[in-house]
Every structure is written in C-alpha cells, then in structure tokens.
PDB file of all heavy atoms in Angstrom:
ATOM      1  N   ALA A   1      -0.914  -1.545  -9.045  1.00 80.00           N
ATOM      2  CA  ALA A   1      -0.584  -0.197  -9.521  1.00 80.00           C
ATOM      3  C   ALA A   1      -0.063   0.671  -8.382  1.00 80.00           C
ATOM      4  O   ALA A   1      -0.344   1.872  -8.310  1.00 80.00           O
ATOM      5  CB  ALA A   1      -1.794   0.455 -10.180  1.00 80.00           C
ATOM      6  N   ALA A   2       0.705   0.056  -7.485  1.00 82.00           N
ATOM      7  CA  ALA A   2       1.208   0.770  -6.311  1.00 82.00           C
ATOM      8  C   ALA A   2       2.709   1.002  -6.355  1.00 82.00           C
ATOM      9  O   ALA A   2       3.240   1.782  -5.554  1.00 82.00           O
ATOM     10  CB  ALA A   2       0.854  -0.008  -5.038  1.00 82.00           C
ATOM     11  N   MET A   3       3.414   0.344  -7.264  1.00 86.00           N
ATOM     12  CA  MET A   3       4.873   0.417  -7.265  1.00 86.00           C
ATOM     13  C   MET A   3       5.383   1.846  -7.439  1.00 86.00           C
ATOM     14  O   MET A   3       6.308   2.283  -6.735  1.00 86.00           O
ATOM     15  CB  MET A   3       5.438  -0.477  -8.370  1.00 86.00           C
ATOM     16  CG  MET A   3       6.955  -0.448  -8.472  1.00 86.00           C
ATOM     17  SD  MET A   3       7.770  -1.157  -7.031  1.00 86.00           S
ATOM     18  CE  MET A   3       7.859  -2.871  -7.564  1.00 86.00           C
ATOM     19  N   ASP A   4       4.796   2.606  -8.358  1.00 84.00           N
ATOM     20  CA  ASP A   4       5.299   3.955  -8.644  1.00 84.00           C
ATOM     21  C   ASP A   4       5.232   4.857  -7.423  1.00 84.00           C
ATOM     22  O   ASP A   4       6.213   5.538  -7.084  1.00 84.00           O
ATOM     23  CB  ASP A   4       4.502   4.577  -9.796  1.00 84.00           C
ATOM     24  CG  ASP A   4       4.819   3.913 -11.136  1.00 84.00           C
ATOM     25  OD1 ASP A   4       5.857   3.225 -11.214  1.00 84.00           O
ATOM     26  OD2 ASP A   4       4.023   4.080 -12.077  1.00 84.00           O
ATOM     27  N   PHE A   5       4.081   4.893  -6.756  1.00 85.00           N
ATOM     28  CA  PHE A   5       3.980   5.808  -5.606  1.00 85.00           C
ATOM     29  C   PHE A   5       4.823   5.311  -4.435  1.00 85.00           C
ATOM     30  O   PHE A   5       5.322   6.115  -3.635  1.00 85.00           O
ATOM     31  CB  PHE A   5       2.514   6.026  -5.208  1.00 85.00           C
ATOM     32  CG  PHE A   5       1.962   5.062  -4.206  1.00 85.00           C
ATOM     33  CD1 PHE A   5       2.269   5.149  -2.859  1.00 85.00           C
ATOM     34  CD2 PHE A   5       1.089   4.058  -4.600  1.00 85.00           C
ATOM     35  CE1 PHE A   5       1.740   4.274  -1.926  1.00 85.00           C
ATOM     36  CE2 PHE A   5       0.560   3.169  -3.692  1.00 85.00           C
ATOM     37  CZ  PHE A   5       0.887   3.274  -2.348  1.00 85.00           C
ATOM     38  N   ILE A   6       5.007   3.983  -4.308  1.00 88.00           N
ATOM     39  CA  ILE A   6       5.850   3.463  -3.226  1.00 88.00           C
ATOM     40  C   ILE A   6       7.293   3.912  -3.424  1.00 88.00           C
ATOM     41  O   ILE A   6       7.951   4.399  -2.502  1.00 88.00           O
ATOM     42  CB  ILE A   6       5.763   1.922  -3.160  1.00 88.00           C
ATOM     43  CG1 ILE A   6       4.361   1.478  -2.725  1.00 88.00           C
ATOM     44  CG2 ILE A   6       6.800   1.370  -2.179  1.00 88.00           C
ATOM     45  CD1 ILE A   6       4.138  -0.025  -2.765  1.00 88.00           C
ATOM     46  N   LEU A   7       7.789   3.757  -4.645  1.00 89.00           N
ATOM     47  CA  LEU A   7       9.183   4.132  -4.914  1.00 89.00           C
ATOM     48  C   LEU A   7       9.390   5.641  -4.860  1.00 89.00           C
ATOM     49  O   LEU A   7      10.519   6.114  -4.683  1.00 89.00           O
ATOM     50  CB  LEU A   7       9.603   3.593  -6.278  1.00 89.00           C
ATOM     51  CG  LEU A   7       9.636   2.062  -6.405  1.00 89.00           C
ATOM     52  CD1 LEU A   7      10.092   1.644  -7.798  1.00 89.00           C
ATOM     53  CD2 LEU A   7      10.547   1.451  -5.340  1.00 89.00           C
ATOM     54  N   SER A   8       8.310   6.415  -5.004  1.00 88.00           N
ATOM     55  CA  SER A   8       8.440   7.874  -4.906  1.00 88.00           C
ATOM     56  C   SER A   8       8.614   8.341  -3.466  1.00 88.00           C
ATOM     57  O   SER A   8       9.030   9.469  -3.222  1.00 88.00           O
ATOM     58  CB  SER A   8       7.209   8.549  -5.521  1.00 88.00           C
ATOM     59  OG  SER A   8       6.057   8.340  -4.711  1.00 88.00           O
ATOM     60  N   LYS A   9       8.304   7.478  -2.525  1.00 86.00           N
ATOM     61  CA  LYS A   9       8.487   7.828  -1.108  1.00 86.00           C
ATOM     62  C   LYS A   9       9.972   7.789  -0.763  1.00 86.00           C
ATOM     63  O   LYS A   9      10.737   6.986  -1.304  1.00 86.00           O
ATOM     64  CB  LYS A   9       7.729   6.847  -0.207  1.00 86.00           C
ATOM     65  CG  LYS A   9       6.233   6.735  -0.493  1.00 86.00           C
ATOM     66  CD  LYS A   9       5.491   7.981  -0.102  1.00 86.00           C
ATOM     67  CE  LYS A   9       3.988   7.817  -0.330  1.00 86.00           C
ATOM     68  NZ  LYS A   9       3.230   9.055  -0.028  1.00 86.00           N
ATOM     69  N   ARG A  10      10.381   8.639   0.151  1.00 86.00           N
ATOM     70  CA  ARG A  10      11.802   8.722   0.504  1.00 86.00           C
ATOM     71  C   ARG A  10      12.326   7.387   1.017  1.00 86.00           C
ATOM     72  O   ARG A  10      13.433   6.965   0.657  1.00 86.00           O
ATOM     73  CB  ARG A  10      12.007   9.805   1.567  1.00 86.00           C
ATOM     74  CG  ARG A  10      13.456   9.942   2.037  1.00 86.00           C
ATOM     75  CD  ARG A  10      13.604  11.079   3.018  1.00 86.00           C
ATOM     76  NE  ARG A  10      13.270  12.352   2.384  1.00 86.00           N
ATOM     77  CZ  ARG A  10      13.275  13.528   3.017  1.00 86.00           C
ATOM     78  NH1 ARG A  10      13.604  13.567   4.306  1.00 86.00           N
ATOM     79  NH2 ARG A  10      12.956  14.640   2.397  1.00 86.00           N
ATOM     80  N   ALA A  11      11.525   6.687   1.833  1.00 87.00           N
ATOM     81  CA  ALA A  11      11.962   5.402   2.397  1.00 87.00           C
ATOM     82  C   ALA A  11      11.436   4.207   1.608  1.00 87.00           C
ATOM     83  O   ALA A  11      11.651   3.061   2.002  1.00 87.00           O
ATOM     84  CB  ALA A  11      11.528   5.296   3.861  1.00 87.00           C
ATOM     85  N   GLY A  12      10.727   4.459   0.508  1.00 89.00           N
ATOM     86  CA  GLY A  12      10.227   3.371  -0.315  1.00 89.00           C
ATOM     87  C   GLY A  12       9.335   2.414   0.461  1.00 89.00           C
ATOM     88  O   GLY A  12       8.394   2.839   1.149  1.00 89.00           O
ATOM     89  N   TYR A  13       9.651   1.135   0.349  1.00 87.00           N
ATOM     90  CA  TYR A  13       8.850   0.114   1.035  1.00 87.00           C
ATOM     91  C   TYR A  13       8.975   0.204   2.561  1.00 87.00           C
ATOM     92  O   TYR A  13       8.162  -0.370   3.291  1.00 87.00           O
ATOM     93  CB  TYR A  13       9.268  -1.292   0.582  1.00 87.00           C
ATOM     94  CG  TYR A  13       8.685  -1.698  -0.751  1.00 87.00           C
ATOM     95  CD1 TYR A  13       9.372  -1.438  -1.932  1.00 87.00           C
ATOM     96  CD2 TYR A  13       7.451  -2.335  -0.823  1.00 87.00           C
ATOM     97  CE1 TYR A  13       8.841  -1.795  -3.161  1.00 87.00           C
ATOM     98  CE2 TYR A  13       6.917  -2.699  -2.049  1.00 87.00           C
ATOM     99  CZ  TYR A  13       7.611  -2.424  -3.218  1.00 87.00           C
ATOM    100  OH  TYR A  13       7.066  -2.785  -4.427  1.00 87.00           O
ATOM    101  N   ASP A  14      10.001   0.899   3.046  1.00 89.00           N
ATOM    102  CA  ASP A  14      10.199   1.045   4.498  1.00 89.00           C
ATOM    103  C   ASP A  14       9.470   2.259   5.060  1.00 89.00           C
ATOM    104  O   ASP A  14       9.639   2.598   6.237  1.00 89.00           O
ATOM    105  CB  ASP A  14      11.693   1.157   4.818  1.00 89.00           C
ATOM    106  CG  ASP A  14      12.444  -0.134   4.504  1.00 89.00           C
ATOM    107  OD1 ASP A  14      11.832  -1.210   4.663  1.00 89.00           O
ATOM    108  OD2 ASP A  14      13.623  -0.064   4.106  1.00 89.00           O
ATOM    109  N   THR A  15       8.668   2.914   4.249  1.00 88.00           N
ATOM    110  CA  THR A  15       7.898   4.066   4.725  1.00 88.00           C
ATOM    111  C   THR A  15       6.841   3.616   5.725  1.00 88.00           C
ATOM    112  O   THR A  15       6.043   2.720   5.442  1.00 88.00           O
ATOM    113  CB  THR A  15       7.201   4.767   3.548  1.00 88.00           C
ATOM    114  OG1 THR A  15       8.193   5.195   2.605  1.00 88.00           O
ATOM    115  CG2 THR A  15       6.383   5.961   4.027  1.00 88.00           C
ATOM    116  N   VAL A  16       6.841   4.239   6.898  1.00 88.00           N
ATOM    117  CA  VAL A  16       5.800   3.938   7.901  1.00 88.00           C
ATOM    118  C   VAL A  16       4.544   4.718   7.532  1.00 88.00           C
ATOM    119  O   VAL A  16       4.598   5.937   7.332  1.00 88.00           O
ATOM    120  CB  VAL A  16       6.282   4.314   9.316  1.00 88.00           C
ATOM    121  CG1 VAL A  16       5.173   4.073  10.336  1.00 88.00           C
ATOM    122  CG2 VAL A  16       7.525   3.500   9.682  1.00 88.00           C
ATOM    123  N   VAL A  17       3.415   4.029   7.440  1.00 85.00           N
ATOM    124  CA  VAL A  17       2.204   4.638   6.888  1.00 85.00           C
ATOM    125  C   VAL A  17       1.425   5.466   7.903  1.00 85.00           C
ATOM    126  O   VAL A  17       0.487   6.173   7.537  1.00 85.00           O
ATOM    127  CB  VAL A  17       1.280   3.560   6.278  1.00 85.00           C
ATOM    128  CG1 VAL A  17       2.017   2.756   5.232  1.00 85.00           C
ATOM    129  CG2 VAL A  17       0.706   2.644   7.363  1.00 85.00           C
ATOM    130  N   GLY A  18       1.788   5.376   9.186  1.00 83.00           N
ATOM    131  CA  GLY A  18       1.038   6.112  10.204  1.00 83.00           C
ATOM    132  C   GLY A  18      -0.184   5.330  10.677  1.00 83.00           C
ATOM    133  O   GLY A  18      -0.537   4.278  10.126  1.00 83.00           O
ATOM    134  N   GLU A  19      -0.807   5.843  11.731  1.00 79.00           N
ATOM    135  CA  GLU A  19      -1.975   5.165  12.292  1.00 79.00           C
ATOM    136  C   GLU A  19      -3.100   5.126  11.272  1.00 79.00           C
ATOM    137  O   GLU A  19      -3.511   6.147  10.741  1.00 79.00           O
ATOM    138  CB  GLU A  19      -2.430   5.881  13.567  1.00 79.00           C
ATOM    139  CG  GLU A  19      -3.486   5.112  14.339  1.00 79.00           C
ATOM    140  CD  GLU A  19      -3.757   5.723  15.701  1.00 79.00           C
ATOM    141  OE1 GLU A  19      -2.952   6.566  16.153  1.00 79.00           O
ATOM    142  OE2 GLU A  19      -4.767   5.360  16.310  1.00 79.00           O
ATOM    143  N   ARG A  20      -3.559   3.896  10.971  1.00 77.00           N
ATOM    144  CA  ARG A  20      -4.602   3.637   9.985  1.00 77.00           C
ATOM    145  C   ARG A  20      -4.248   4.213   8.612  1.00 77.00           C
ATOM    146  O   ARG A  20      -5.114   4.597   7.832  1.00 77.00           O
ATOM    147  CB  ARG A  20      -5.959   4.162  10.461  1.00 77.00           C
ATOM    148  CG  ARG A  20      -6.398   3.620  11.817  1.00 77.00           C
ATOM    149  CD  ARG A  20      -7.833   3.955  12.128  1.00 77.00           C
ATOM    150  NE  ARG A  20      -8.722   3.230  11.220  1.00 77.00           N
ATOM    151  CZ  ARG A  20      -9.104   1.967  11.381  1.00 77.00           C
ATOM    152  NH1 ARG A  20      -8.663   1.262  12.416  1.00 77.00           N
ATOM    153  NH2 ARG A  20      -9.922   1.394  10.533  1.00 77.00           N
ATOM    154  N   GLY A  21      -2.933   4.322   8.333  1.00 80.00           N
ATOM    155  CA  GLY A  21      -2.479   4.798   7.026  1.00 80.00           C
ATOM    156  C   GLY A  21      -2.622   6.287   6.842  1.00 80.00           C
ATOM    157  O   GLY A  21      -2.747   6.761   5.705  1.00 80.00           O
ATOM    158  N   ALA A  22      -2.561   7.059   7.939  1.00 81.00           N
ATOM    159  CA  ALA A  22      -2.829   8.495   7.871  1.00 81.00           C
ATOM    160  C   ALA A  22      -1.814   9.258   7.022  1.00 81.00           C
ATOM    161  O   ALA A  22      -2.107  10.365   6.546  1.00 81.00           O
ATOM    162  CB  ALA A  22      -2.858   9.081   9.285  1.00 81.00           C
ATOM    163  N   GLN A  23      -0.616   8.692   6.808  1.00 85.00           N
ATOM    164  CA  GLN A  23       0.406   9.387   6.027  1.00 85.00           C
ATOM    165  C   GLN A  23       0.240   9.184   4.517  1.00 85.00           C
ATOM    166  O   GLN A  23       1.019   9.729   3.736  1.00 85.00           O
ATOM    167  CB  GLN A  23       1.803   8.895   6.448  1.00 85.00           C
ATOM    168  CG  GLN A  23       2.112   9.095   7.923  1.00 85.00           C
ATOM    169  CD  GLN A  23       2.042  10.542   8.343  1.00 85.00           C
ATOM    170  OE1 GLN A  23       2.511  11.416   7.615  1.00 85.00           O
ATOM    171  NE2 GLN A  23       1.439  10.808   9.489  1.00 85.00           N
ATOM    172  N   LEU A  24      -0.766   8.413   4.122  1.00 85.00           N
ATOM    173  CA  LEU A  24      -0.998   8.131   2.703  1.00 85.00           C
ATOM    174  C   LEU A  24      -2.337   8.695   2.267  1.00 85.00           C
ATOM    175  O   LEU A  24      -3.231   8.937   3.086  1.00 85.00           O
ATOM    176  CB  LEU A  24      -0.981   6.615   2.451  1.00 85.00           C
ATOM    177  CG  LEU A  24       0.266   5.841   2.895  1.00 85.00           C
ATOM    178  CD1 LEU A  24       0.077   4.365   2.604  1.00 85.00           C
ATOM    179  CD2 LEU A  24       1.511   6.378   2.205  1.00 85.00           C
ATOM    180  N   SER A  25      -2.482   8.880   0.961  1.00 82.00           N
ATOM    181  CA  SER A  25      -3.767   9.316   0.417  1.00 82.00           C
ATOM    182  C   SER A  25      -4.725   8.128   0.368  1.00 82.00           C
ATOM    183  O   SER A  25      -4.319   6.972   0.521  1.00 82.00           O
ATOM    184  CB  SER A  25      -3.578   9.879  -0.985  1.00 82.00           C
ATOM    185  OG  SER A  25      -3.228   8.839  -1.890  1.00 82.00           O
ATOM    186  N   GLY A  26      -6.015   8.439   0.112  1.00 79.00           N
ATOM    187  CA  GLY A  26      -7.012   7.372   0.058  1.00 79.00           C
ATOM    188  C   GLY A  26      -6.705   6.362  -1.029  1.00 79.00           C
ATOM    189  O   GLY A  26      -6.821   5.147  -0.823  1.00 79.00           O
ATOM    190  N   GLY A  27      -6.313   6.836  -2.202  1.00 79.00           N
ATOM    191  CA  GLY A  27      -5.981   5.935  -3.302  1.00 79.00           C
ATOM    192  C   GLY A  27      -4.771   5.086  -2.999  1.00 79.00           C
ATOM    193  O   GLY A  27      -4.713   3.900  -3.366  1.00 79.00           O
ATOM    194  N   GLU A  28      -3.772   5.663  -2.332  1.00 84.00           N
ATOM    195  CA  GLU A  28      -2.577   4.903  -1.969  1.00 84.00           C
ATOM    196  C   GLU A  28      -2.914   3.814  -0.953  1.00 84.00           C
ATOM    197  O   GLU A  28      -2.428   2.682  -1.061  1.00 84.00           O
ATOM    198  CB  GLU A  28      -1.514   5.857  -1.410  1.00 84.00           C
ATOM    199  CG  GLU A  28      -0.920   6.777  -2.471  1.00 84.00           C
ATOM    200  CD  GLU A  28      -0.030   7.851  -1.872  1.00 84.00           C
ATOM    201  OE1 GLU A  28      -0.120   8.100  -0.642  1.00 84.00           O
ATOM    202  OE2 GLU A  28       0.741   8.456  -2.634  1.00 84.00           O
ATOM    203  N   ARG A  29      -3.740   4.153   0.008  1.00 86.00           N
ATOM    204  CA  ARG A  29      -4.148   3.152   0.997  1.00 86.00           C
ATOM    205  C   ARG A  29      -4.862   1.985   0.326  1.00 86.00           C
ATOM    206  O   ARG A  29      -4.597   0.814   0.633  1.00 86.00           O
ATOM    207  CB  ARG A  29      -5.044   3.791   2.057  1.00 86.00           C
ATOM    208  CG  ARG A  29      -4.326   4.746   2.993  1.00 86.00           C
ATOM    209  CD  ARG A  29      -5.160   5.052   4.226  1.00 86.00           C
ATOM    210  NE  ARG A  29      -6.362   5.803   3.907  1.00 86.00           N
ATOM    211  CZ  ARG A  29      -6.441   7.136   3.903  1.00 86.00           C
ATOM    212  NH1 ARG A  29      -5.358   7.861   4.179  1.00 86.00           N
ATOM    213  NH2 ARG A  29      -7.566   7.765   3.622  1.00 86.00           N
ATOM    214  N   GLN A  30      -5.782   2.300  -0.602  1.00 83.00           N
ATOM    215  CA  GLN A  30      -6.540   1.243  -1.254  1.00 83.00           C
ATOM    216  C   GLN A  30      -5.642   0.361  -2.105  1.00 83.00           C
ATOM    217  O   GLN A  30      -5.837  -0.861  -2.168  1.00 83.00           O
ATOM    218  CB  GLN A  30      -7.642   1.849  -2.130  1.00 83.00           C
ATOM    219  CG  GLN A  30      -8.809   2.446  -1.345  1.00 83.00           C
ATOM    220  CD  GLN A  30      -9.481   1.429  -0.447  1.00 83.00           C
ATOM    221  OE1 GLN A  30      -9.069   1.231   0.696  1.00 83.00           O
ATOM    222  NE2 GLN A  30     -10.493   0.764  -0.954  1.00 83.00           N
ATOM    223  N   ARG A  31      -4.654   0.933  -2.760  1.00 84.00           N
ATOM    224  CA  ARG A  31      -3.777   0.132  -3.603  1.00 84.00           C
ATOM    225  C   ARG A  31      -2.882  -0.788  -2.768  1.00 84.00           C
ATOM    226  O   ARG A  31      -2.552  -1.893  -3.200  1.00 84.00           O
ATOM    227  CB  ARG A  31      -2.965   1.039  -4.528  1.00 84.00           C
ATOM    228  CG  ARG A  31      -3.773   1.492  -5.739  1.00 84.00           C
ATOM    229  CD  ARG A  31      -2.995   2.449  -6.617  1.00 84.00           C
ATOM    230  NE  ARG A  31      -3.029   3.809  -6.065  1.00 84.00           N
ATOM    231  CZ  ARG A  31      -2.308   4.808  -6.527  1.00 84.00           C
ATOM    232  NH1 ARG A  31      -1.480   4.620  -7.542  1.00 84.00           N
ATOM    233  NH2 ARG A  31      -2.413   6.020  -5.994  1.00 84.00           N
ATOM    234  N   ILE A  32      -2.505  -0.338  -1.575  1.00 87.00           N
ATOM    235  CA  ILE A  32      -1.764  -1.225  -0.680  1.00 87.00           C
ATOM    236  C   ILE A  32      -2.662  -2.378  -0.227  1.00 87.00           C
ATOM    237  O   ILE A  32      -2.237  -3.538  -0.155  1.00 87.00           O
ATOM    238  CB  ILE A  32      -1.223  -0.447   0.536  1.00 87.00           C
ATOM    239  CG1 ILE A  32      -0.101   0.491   0.083  1.00 87.00           C
ATOM    240  CG2 ILE A  32      -0.701  -1.406   1.607  1.00 87.00           C
ATOM    241  CD1 ILE A  32       0.456   1.358   1.183  1.00 87.00           C
ATOM    242  N   ALA A  33      -3.938  -2.061   0.065  1.00 86.00           N
ATOM    243  CA  ALA A  33      -4.881  -3.112   0.449  1.00 86.00           C
ATOM    244  C   ALA A  33      -5.068  -4.110  -0.693  1.00 86.00           C
ATOM    245  O   ALA A  33      -5.181  -5.323  -0.463  1.00 86.00           O
ATOM    246  CB  ALA A  33      -6.220  -2.490   0.834  1.00 86.00           C
ATOM    247  N   ILE A  34      -5.094  -3.613  -1.932  1.00 84.00           N
ATOM    248  CA  ILE A  34      -5.227  -4.507  -3.088  1.00 84.00           C
ATOM    249  C   ILE A  34      -3.970  -5.353  -3.251  1.00 84.00           C
ATOM    250  O   ILE A  34      -4.046  -6.566  -3.512  1.00 84.00           O
ATOM    251  CB  ILE A  34      -5.505  -3.686  -4.364  1.00 84.00           C
ATOM    252  CG1 ILE A  34      -6.888  -3.021  -4.274  1.00 84.00           C
ATOM    253  CG2 ILE A  34      -5.431  -4.575  -5.607  1.00 84.00           C
ATOM    254  CD1 ILE A  34      -7.150  -2.005  -5.356  1.00 84.00           C
ATOM    255  N   ALA A  35      -2.790  -4.738  -3.075  1.00 86.00           N
ATOM    256  CA  ALA A  35      -1.534  -5.497  -3.155  1.00 86.00           C
ATOM    257  C   ALA A  35      -1.513  -6.603  -2.109  1.00 86.00           C
ATOM    258  O   ALA A  35      -1.040  -7.720  -2.368  1.00 86.00           O
ATOM    259  CB  ALA A  35      -0.346  -4.551  -2.951  1.00 86.00           C
ATOM    260  N   ARG A  36      -2.038  -6.307  -0.938  1.00 87.00           N
ATOM    261  CA  ARG A  36      -2.124  -7.310   0.123  1.00 87.00           C
ATOM    262  C   ARG A  36      -2.993  -8.486  -0.322  1.00 87.00           C
ATOM    263  O   ARG A  36      -2.655  -9.653  -0.098  1.00 87.00           O
ATOM    264  CB  ARG A  36      -2.700  -6.640   1.369  1.00 87.00           C
ATOM    265  CG  ARG A  36      -2.736  -7.482   2.608  1.00 87.00           C
ATOM    266  CD  ARG A  36      -2.905  -6.598   3.825  1.00 87.00           C
ATOM    267  NE  ARG A  36      -4.130  -5.824   3.804  1.00 87.00           N
ATOM    268  CZ  ARG A  36      -4.369  -4.788   4.609  1.00 87.00           C
ATOM    269  NH1 ARG A  36      -3.446  -4.386   5.461  1.00 87.00           N
ATOM    270  NH2 ARG A  36      -5.506  -4.139   4.556  1.00 87.00           N
ATOM    271  N   ALA A  37      -4.126  -8.172  -0.961  1.00 85.00           N
ATOM    272  CA  ALA A  37      -5.027  -9.218  -1.454  1.00 85.00           C
ATOM    273  C   ALA A  37      -4.390 -10.008  -2.590  1.00 85.00           C
ATOM    274  O   ALA A  37      -4.560 -11.231  -2.691  1.00 85.00           O
ATOM    275  CB  ALA A  37      -6.344  -8.598  -1.907  1.00 85.00           C
ATOM    276  N   VAL A  38      -3.648  -9.326  -3.460  1.00 84.00           N
ATOM    277  CA  VAL A  38      -2.940 -10.014  -4.551  1.00 84.00           C
ATOM    278  C   VAL A  38      -1.945 -11.009  -3.973  1.00 84.00           C
ATOM    279  O   VAL A  38      -1.838 -12.157  -4.426  1.00 84.00           O
ATOM    280  CB  VAL A  38      -2.217  -8.998  -5.464  1.00 84.00           C
ATOM    281  CG1 VAL A  38      -1.302  -9.716  -6.445  1.00 84.00           C
ATOM    282  CG2 VAL A  38      -3.229  -8.134  -6.207  1.00 84.00           C
ATOM    283  N   LEU A  39      -1.190 -10.565  -2.974  1.00 86.00           N
ATOM    284  CA  LEU A  39      -0.169 -11.420  -2.374  1.00 86.00           C
ATOM    285  C   LEU A  39      -0.790 -12.638  -1.701  1.00 86.00           C
ATOM    286  O   LEU A  39      -0.214 -13.730  -1.719  1.00 86.00           O
ATOM    287  CB  LEU A  39       0.652 -10.612  -1.367  1.00 86.00           C
ATOM    288  CG  LEU A  39       1.919 -11.285  -0.809  1.00 86.00           C
ATOM    289  CD1 LEU A  39       2.895 -11.575  -1.939  1.00 86.00           C
ATOM    290  CD2 LEU A  39       2.566 -10.405   0.251  1.00 86.00           C
ATOM    291  N   LYS A  40      -1.956 -12.464  -1.094  1.00 86.00           N
ATOM    292  CA  LYS A  40      -2.614 -13.598  -0.435  1.00 86.00           C
ATOM    293  C   LYS A  40      -3.012 -14.660  -1.446  1.00 86.00           C
ATOM    294  O   LYS A  40      -3.013 -15.850  -1.141  1.00 86.00           O
ATOM    295  CB  LYS A  40      -3.838 -13.112   0.339  1.00 86.00           C
ATOM    296  CG  LYS A  40      -4.497 -14.219   1.170  1.00 86.00           C
ATOM    297  CD  LYS A  40      -5.604 -13.695   2.056  1.00 86.00           C
ATOM    298  CE  LYS A  40      -6.167 -14.812   2.927  1.00 86.00           C
ATOM    299  NZ  LYS A  40      -7.251 -14.342   3.816  1.00 86.00           N
ATOM    300  N   ASP A  41      -3.389 -14.235  -2.652  1.00 83.00           N
ATOM    301  CA  ASP A  41      -3.708 -15.157  -3.749  1.00 83.00           C
ATOM    302  C   ASP A  41      -4.771 -16.168  -3.334  1.00 83.00           C
ATOM    303  O   ASP A  41      -4.616 -17.376  -3.519  1.00 83.00           O
ATOM    304  CB  ASP A  41      -2.432 -15.880  -4.215  1.00 83.00           C
ATOM    305  CG  ASP A  41      -2.652 -16.647  -5.514  1.00 83.00           C
ATOM    306  OD1 ASP A  41      -3.524 -16.232  -6.307  1.00 83.00           O
ATOM    307  OD2 ASP A  41      -1.974 -17.671  -5.721  1.00 83.00           O
ATOM    308  N   ALA A  42      -5.873 -15.668  -2.762  1.00 86.00           N
ATOM    309  CA  ALA A  42      -6.977 -16.532  -2.360  1.00 86.00           C
ATOM    310  C   ALA A  42      -7.926 -16.735  -3.538  1.00 86.00           C
ATOM    311  O   ALA A  42      -8.036 -15.871  -4.410  1.00 86.00           O
ATOM    312  CB  ALA A  42      -7.732 -15.909  -1.185  1.00 86.00           C
ATOM    313  N   PRO A  43      -8.631 -17.871  -3.584  1.00 89.00           N
ATOM    314  CA  PRO A  43      -9.541 -18.137  -4.714  1.00 89.00           C
ATOM    315  C   PRO A  43     -10.813 -17.298  -4.696  1.00 89.00           C
ATOM    316  O   PRO A  43     -11.495 -17.191  -5.708  1.00 89.00           O
ATOM    317  CB  PRO A  43      -9.865 -19.618  -4.565  1.00 89.00           C
ATOM    318  CG  PRO A  43      -9.682 -19.895  -3.105  1.00 89.00           C
ATOM    319  CD  PRO A  43      -8.561 -19.011  -2.660  1.00 89.00           C
ATOM    320  N   ILE A  44     -11.154 -16.700  -3.542  1.00 90.00           N
ATOM    321  CA  ILE A  44     -12.363 -15.886  -3.417  1.00 90.00           C
ATOM    322  C   ILE A  44     -11.961 -14.475  -3.009  1.00 90.00           C
ATOM    323  O   ILE A  44     -11.156 -14.286  -2.092  1.00 90.00           O
ATOM    324  CB  ILE A  44     -13.331 -16.485  -2.377  1.00 90.00           C
ATOM    325  CG1 ILE A  44     -13.757 -17.892  -2.804  1.00 90.00           C
ATOM    326  CG2 ILE A  44     -14.561 -15.595  -2.205  1.00 90.00           C
ATOM    327  CD1 ILE A  44     -14.559 -18.626  -1.750  1.00 90.00           C
ATOM    328  N   LEU A  45     -12.523 -13.497  -3.697  1.00 87.00           N
ATOM    329  CA  LEU A  45     -12.217 -12.093  -3.424  1.00 87.00           C
ATOM    330  C   LEU A  45     -13.496 -11.371  -3.028  1.00 87.00           C
ATOM    331  O   LEU A  45     -14.534 -11.530  -3.668  1.00 87.00           O
ATOM    332  CB  LEU A  45     -11.617 -11.443  -4.675  1.00 87.00           C
ATOM    333  CG  LEU A  45     -11.337  -9.940  -4.624  1.00 87.00           C
ATOM    334  CD1 LEU A  45     -10.273  -9.625  -3.586  1.00 87.00           C
ATOM    335  CD2 LEU A  45     -10.909  -9.437  -5.999  1.00 87.00           C
TER     336      LEU A  45
END
C-alpha cells in the first residue's frame, strides 16, 4: 500500500528519504519496510 504515496512525491521512486527516513512520515517508512519484506519473499516473517 505504498505506491500511491510514492508516486505523489516529486521524484517518485527516486526520492531520497533522508537519514533514517527523516523525510517521510512514520506510516510511509513502515510501508517501505513492508515493501522491502514483500520483495525479499522469505518463507518466515
């Protein structure tokens, strides 16, 4: 559920998130972390 807010950014996927994701909200940071876990596709979460 991260696509909408990513595309709303001026640079989209090329947006630099800042140190420890400081340029994003807490919910946005967590959804990127979830997308990372989805992409890894590991059997244990």
